[in-house]
Amino acid sequence: MITADNKKLNVLIIGWKGLARKLASHFYLSEINVSMLVTPKKELKVIYLKESGDIKIFVEDLESTDVNTLEEIIKGHSIIINCSSFSNFTNEYKTEKKIIKACKLAKVDRYFTNDFSIDYSQTRKGDCERMDLRKRVLLKIKKRGLNYTSVVCGIQMESLFKPKMKIVDFERQVMYFYNSSRAYFDVTCQDDIVNYVTDVITDSKKYLYTKNKIIKIYGDRINLYFLNQILSELSGHWFALNSLGTLYDLDKEISDCIQLKNHHSTKKQRTKLYYETCYRKELVRFMFSGDAKVDPSEEESVKMTKKTSVKDFIRTKLQPPINNPNTTTIELPSDLINNNNTSTMTTGKP
């Protein structure tokens, strides 16, 4: 396939998690030449793609490898899409700096930054460490003169239902919130992100329009009260809405996490505490403060016309029994289940 600007389209996706795998699979089915760069520990996560024989898998430790090695891997790819994840912010920044430099040396035509989250351009300094980091990365990209596209999308629907977010508890049939259950936030599912990125790299007008811009895409704007209505309709059961306090209480929890992080002796303990607790709480704060929304009046805002609604997402991903009035069992995919939970939730009729 040829790119939008008439260059041969060879895409390299960096990372192995859900969005990276979905992009690779979709590109392959769309007859786009696609490769993946994953760390040695995660090679097994994408082995099924490698076995297809048509998706080349590069295996390299991103944090320890040098710029020249990355340049050799990246060379020959016209578009790089970064979906990598890291154990701490220091490693994320250092590694992405190497990737940016390697992309520039390899004369990459477009670099998709490692974003795909809330709109960091609207956050205040000190609100969230990772959002501050994303701003530093963007400055580094501009300084290097690398052509980029940054896609921000609100909260990914897949993240909203994960146990570690501690927002929706399927086992106890409870939703937790701070401040107000009616605070609105934007959500976009990964499939829609994949479709948008595909459109950008294969449509000449969109490809040129998104050059060196932060593109703000969004699907549905919801709150927990609206989400509860959908779950009630599909499952036949109304979830309890439990308040965990005010935004001040949440800020104190974040502060306590940061302080506690400094008292743990090992790097592994400090990293786990921050990433699984403090960063999650910071994202939750954006949700319930009303700051996880895209401004539709901005020029770079793109409302998804072909999108997956929250209702359709729950219906297809969580598989509630909408066609069987005699059962109220919701089957959950494995990545939305705590280790000690079963794979189904059964409720009584309302």
Side-chain angles (χ1 to χ4, degrees), residues 254 257-258 273-283:
I254 293 172
C257 285
I258 294 172
L273 180 66
Y274 191 87
Y275 262 71
E276 293 189 1
T277 307
C278 189
Y279 179 44
R280 177 190 63 80
K281 290 180 183 293
E282 287 176 334
L283 286 181

Side-chain angles (χ1 to χ4, degrees), residues 109-138:
D109 195 68
R110 184 72 57 88
Y111 175 65
F112 282 77
T113 57
N114 188 19
D115 296 318
F116 307 106
S117 184
I118 63 174
D119 182 6
Y120 61 89
S121 69
Q122 299 300 312
T123 62
R124 296 172 294 274
K125 186 176 182 180
D127 278 351
C128 176
E129 188 173 350
R130 188 170 191 274
M131 298 303 107
D132 290 345
L133 182 148
R134 299 317 307 161
K135 293 177 183 179
R136 291 171 62 198
V137 167
L138 185 60

Side-chain angles (χ1 to χ4, degrees), residues 170-171 173 235 237 327-331 342 344-348:
F170 287 100
E171 185 180 22
Q173 300 158 15
S235 70
H237 184 86
T327 179
T328 54
T329 298
I330 295 181
E331 298 179 1
T342 59
T344 62
M345 176 192 79
T346 305
T347 71

Side-chain angles (χ1 to χ4, degrees), residues 29 52 133 217 278 307 323:
L29 293 174
S52 71
L133 182 148
I217 66 174
C278 189
K307 65 178 182 179
N323 296 322

Side-chain angles (χ1 to χ4, degrees), residues 45-252:
K45 296 285 186 178
V46 295
I47 195 69
Y48 70 99
L49 295 172
K50 185 177 182 179
E51 289 173 348
S52 71
D54 293 304
I55 298 180
K56 187 172 183 179
I57 307 295
F58 297 94
V59 181
E60 193 66 49
D61 189 327
L62 294 174
E63 295 180 12
S64 63
T65 193
D66 57 55
V67 172
N68 291 336
T69 301
L70 286 173
E71 181 190 356
E72 287 302 311
I73 293 172
I74 291 171
K75 194 176 294 182
H77 296 94
S78 52
I79 295 173
I80 309 298
I81 302 176
N82 193 347
C83 302
S84 55
S85 58
F86 298 89
S87 59
N88 65 70
F89 295 131
T90 301
N91 287 353
E92 179 175 353
Y93 183 64
K94 288 181 177 179
T95 303
E96 191 155 8
K97 281 201 304 181
K98 287 191 295 185
I99 293 172
I100 291 166
K101 185 175 181 180
C103 285
K104 185 64 178 178
L105 292 171
K107 299 180 180 179
V108 166
D109 195 68
R110 184 72 57 88
Y111 175 65
F112 282 77
T113 57
N114 188 19
D115 296 318
F116 307 106
S117 184
I118 63 174
D119 182 6
Y120 61 89
S121 69
Q122 299 300 312
T123 62
R124 296 172 294 274
K125 186 176 182 180
D127 278 351
C128 176
E129 188 173 350
R130 188 170 191 274
M131 298 303 107
D132 290 345
L133 182 148
R134 299 317 307 161
K135 293 177 183 179
R136 291 171 62 198
V137 167
L138 185 60
L139 289 175
K140 181 64 66 175
I141 290 171
K142 290 179 177 179
K143 186 176 180 180
R144 284 281 178 189
L146 180 65
N147 292 330
Y148 71 91
T149 297
S150 172
V151 178
V152 295
C153 56
I155 305 293
Q156 290 187 18
M157 288 187 200
E158 289 79 1
S159 297
L160 186 63
F161 294 100
K162 288 184 177 180
K164 68 179 180 180
M165 286 294 284
K166 297 181 181 178
I167 299 297
V168 182
D169 188 329
F170 287 100
E171 185 180 22
R172 294 178 177 82
Q173 300 158 15
V174 176
M175 290 186 189
Y176 298 99
F177 67 92
Y178 291 86
N179 198 43
S180 171
S181 63
R182 296 178 184 261
Y184 282 92
F185 51 92
D186 289 336
V187 291
T188 309
C189 82
Q190 289 181 352
D191 289 343
D192 290 342
I193 297 171
V194 168
N195 289 334
Y196 179 76
V197 172
T198 304
D199 285 346
V200 166
I201 66 176
T202 56
D203 183 292
S204 58
K205 290 183 179 179
K206 291 180 180 178
Y207 189 75
L208 291 173
Y209 174 76
T210 58
K211 181 179 178 180
N212 297 334
K213 288 182 180 177
I214 300 174
I215 302 298
K216 307 173 183 186
I217 66 174
Y218 61 104
D220 281 352
R221 179 162 293 178
I222 64 169
N223 57 30
L224 287 196
Y225 188 81
F226 176 72
L227 182 61
N228 206 350
Q229 289 180 314
I230 296 173
L231 283 171
S232 174
E233 178 183 341
L234 297 179
S235 70
H237 184 86
W238 184 262
F239 281 44
L241 289 169
N242 283 6
S243 172
L244 297 177
T246 65
L247 291 178
Y248 174 81
D249 296 317
L250 181 55
D251 285 339
K252 187 176 185 304

